[in-house]
Amino acid sequence: MSQGGAVNHSTTTTNPTGGVAGRRGATQPSLHEDLMARVMDRANLQRAWRRVKANAGAPGVDGITVDEFPAFMRTHWPAIRTAVLDGSYQPSPGRRKSIPKPGGRGERRLGIPTVTDRVIAQAIQQVLTPIFDPEFSESSFGFRPGRSAHGALRQLQAHLRAGYRVAVDLDLEKFFDRVVPDVLMARVARKVRDQRLLALIGRYLRAGVLVGDVIQPTEIGTPQGSPLSPLLANVLLDDLDQELERRGHRFVRYADDVLIVVRSLRAAERVKASVARYLTTKLRLVVNEQKSRVARTDECTFLGFTFRGSKLRWSDRSIADFQHRVRRLTGRSWGVSMEYRLYKLAQYLRGWMAYFGISDYYRPVPEIDHWIRRRIRMCYWKQWRWARTKVRNLLALGTRKREAILTAISRKSYWHLSKSLATQTGMTNAWLASQGLLSIRDLWLKAHGYA
């Protein structure tokens, strides 16, 4: 298997047999086609490897890293390929890893597959996506080529403008951990008749997870961390999408986040009860009744945003998560150079604004800029440490001598002094920008086409 190469982000919508992809009823690959041969096709595997390599990630239970994988494959690939094709290949258990949720709100448990399993799962995903994706709902946006959370939010805004201002907000409790494999596989089998491929996907679902030194079985759920899981989630929840479309509902779904919008509270209560019943009885999923609710759309949060009419605003939780991360990057005790700190902060701010920059609400932007600049001044003040160093640096930046000395010898807190006249006249906004500090205001204006 060759190394390197750019990640293929192509979002072509023609199916593998040459038919044009479209909505339900369009030409599709033969259900009886030998899909396993296409999964193990050299070009497909090379593309899968490039994607896995680009995503990097931690090693699985075998300890083999992405960098070590090519050398491992040169020796072991013939045997692995034979095992996959003859149906004897057994995916390794995932390695349990817990990652913190944004804002420090608990942890999310992942099962990290081996690099080998990730490559094979990615190869399967690349073959199955052109088969399933063209017939997915236009209201489904999560983990699909050419679609994004921004698209989901824009479609939701269109529904709000049309007068649908009451939401049914359904929470699927621990969705990825509660998927019943038999229910999922029955839906995969509607379009995939290759028994070897179906069996392999089933083995991926039941590969287990290594917790400490003990392998725990996975009788339910899809392995979070596998390239195949997002597609399988969409395959299962496409039944929900079809049911909502059949009933004529307006909705938006991003992975397991679904928001149905109607015109009245009474209609919303009926929809909530009937859809919850459908999810429980037909898809055997668990609806969290405590978190599911009916509310005006102005009271709802979806994909990190709230709404005022049809306008998007950052949710309180999104702002809290943002501040939590910025505090970590601007913590006084983080022993890194200011150059590196500003580089990491700029990296985070660009990424955050690339997503949240579509907010229609400008009002908090200047205040956030002010807060970030103050934290950076605090970091410089702590790094300068000694009074003589502080005086020297402030004088070099243009602060008056008396103010520089009085501030440098002050016993007030770093945070308090970061707002003093001396630090602000020395470490001006322009100077901070010259050191590499980005402005949220500039990023917001750029996102809205004003800069």
Side-chain angles (χ1 to χ4, degrees):
M1 189 178 301
S2 67
Q3 305 177 43
V7 179
N8 187 339
H9 290 292
S10 172
T11 58
T12 56
T13 56
T14 55
N15 69 44
T17 60
V20 178
R23 295 293 294 142
R24 303 183 208 288
T27 304
Q28 291 294 312
S30 168
L31 298 177
H32 301 282
E33 189 176 338
D34 184 1
L35 296 180
M36 186 64 84
R38 287 174 43 211
V39 168
M40 301 305 289
D41 175 75
R42 180 180 178 84
N44 186 54
L45 287 164
Q46 287 176 334
R47 187 157 63 97
W49 160 236
R50 288 195 296 269
R51 179 62 62 88
V52 170
K53 183 180 180 181
N55 291 338
V61 294
D62 60 3
I64 296 173
T65 66
V66 170
D67 291 336
E68 296 166 342
F69 179 73
F72 172 81
M73 281 292 101
R74 280 192 285 272
T75 302
H76 296 86
W77 179 244
I80 292 173
R81 177 182 174 82
T82 299
V84 171
L85 290 173
D86 69 19
S88 62
Y89 181 78
Q90 176 61 49
S92 301
R95 181 173 63 84
R96 171 69 76 223
K97 182 178 180 179
S98 297
I99 60 173
K101 291 183 178 180
R105 296 186 302 272
E107 294 182 328
R108 178 176 290 108
R109 297 189 306 171
L110 302 179
I112 307 299
T114 64
V115 180
T116 303
D117 285 335
R118 294 209 291 271
V119 170
I120 296 172
Q122 178 66 35
I124 296 172
Q125 186 264 354
Q126 290 168 182
V127 168
L128 294 187
T129 293
I131 296 174
F132 285 97
D133 189 82
E135 294 191 0
F136 285 156
S137 170
E138 290 299 314
S139 296
S140 166
F141 291 87
F143 309 113
R144 296 184 58 192
R147 287 175 165 259
S148 67
H150 285 182
L153 290 163
R154 294 306 188 199
Q155 179 165 306
L156 183 55
Q157 283 185 294
H159 294 330
L160 298 179
R161 292 189 191 102
Y164 294 81
R165 298 290 181 88
V166 180
V168 179
D169 188 358
L170 292 171
D171 183 86
L172 298 179
E173 186 174 299
K174 296 181 179 179
F175 169 74
F176 286 95
D177 294 332
R178 296 296 182 92
V179 171
V180 178
D182 289 344
V183 176
L184 170 59
M185 291 306 299
R187 282 146 181 83
V188 175
R190 291 172 182 170
K191 292 181 177 293
V192 177
R193 300 290 175 82
D194 187 320
Q195 295 301 312
R196 290 181 301 169
L197 183 53
L198 289 172
L200 179 57
I201 295 171
R203 289 196 293 273
Y204 265 105
L205 293 175
R206 295 181 171 86
V209 63
L210 182 67
V211 181
D213 296 324
V214 179
I215 296 177
Q216 295 182 357
T218 48
E219 298 301 327
I220 62 171
T222 62
Q224 292 192 65
S226 169
L228 196 53
S229 288
L231 174 62
L232 295 179
N234 277 333
V235 169
L236 178 63
L237 290 174
D238 186 56
D239 271 25
L240 171 63
D241 298 342
Q242 291 186 53
E243 180 65 16
L244 294 176
E245 288 179 350
R246 186 184 67 78
R247 298 181 186 185
H249 292 312
R250 299 199 180 200
F251 70 98
V252 176
R253 182 175 67 80
Y254 189 92
D256 59 325
D257 288 330
V258 57
L259 204 66
I260 308 165
V261 288
V262 296
R263 292 185 183 273
S264 71
L265 289 169
R266 180 177 295 181
E269 292 290 355
R270 291 197 302 268
V271 171
K272 177 177 178 290
S274 63
V275 174
R277 187 163 53 249
Y278 177 85
L279 288 165
T280 303
T281 59
K282 299 295 185 180
L283 301 185
R284 294 171 63 186
L285 296 170
V286 179
V287 177
N288 188 325
E289 291 294 341
Q290 282 68 45
K291 293 185 178 180
S292 299
R293 63 177 186 146
V294 165
R296 302 280 180 188
T297 51
D298 284 5
E299 301 169 13
C300 292
T301 300
F302 186 67
L303 300 180
F305 289 87
T306 56
F307 310 93
R308 292 297 179 270
S310 61
K311 301 291 187 181
L312 293 176
R313 291 190 179 191
W314 302 323
S315 70
D316 291 341
R317 175 172 287 188
S318 297
I319 289 292
D321 291 346
F322 171 81
Q323 292 176 326
H324 177 81
R325 183 66 181 276
V326 171
R327 284 192 183 97
R328 288 180 56 193
L329 292 169
T330 58
R332 299 195 312 268
S333 59
W334 190 23
V336 297
S337 69
M338 286 303 299
E339 181 181 15
Y340 182 74
R341 185 193 299 273
L342 289 170
Y343 165 75
K344 296 302 290 185
L345 179 60
Q347 194 177 51
Y348 174 67
L349 294 180
R350 284 194 186 96
W352 196 85
M353 285 301 291
Y355 180 74
F356 286 100
I358 66 169
S359 169
D360 299 310
Y361 192 43
Y362 175 76
R363 189 172 181 177
V365 170
E367 184 179 345
I368 292 172
D369 256 346
H370 171 74
W371 176 70
I372 294 175
R373 285 194 296 265
R374 187 176 174 184
R375 290 198 63 84
I376 292 299
R377 289 187 182 104
M378 177 187 67
C379 292
Y380 273 111
W381 199 244
K382 171 68 183 294
Q383 194 172 74
W384 290 345
R385 192 173 182 182
W386 305 110
R388 69 181 66 143
T389 305
K390 294 172 181 176
V391 171
R392 183 176 66 249
N393 287 335
L394 287 177
L395 291 176
L397 292 172
T399 302
R400 294 171 58 185
K401 186 174 182 179
R402 174 180 171 79
E403 291 165 355
I405 293 173
L406 290 177
T407 305
I409 64 176
S410 173
R411 293 196 170 198
K412 292 180 179 178
S413 69
Y414 293 107
W415 179 244
H416 180 90
L417 293 174
S418 66
K419 199 180 180 181
S420 67
L421 179 62
T423 55
Q424 292 192 83
T425 57
M427 291 179 275
T428 63
N429 296 354
W431 182 80
L432 291 174
S434 72
Q435 302 305 299
L437 178 61
L438 295 185
S439 164
I440 288 290
R441 175 183 177 275
D442 291 346
L443 292 172
W444 189 92
L445 291 175
K446 184 178 181 180
H448 287 262
Y450 296 121

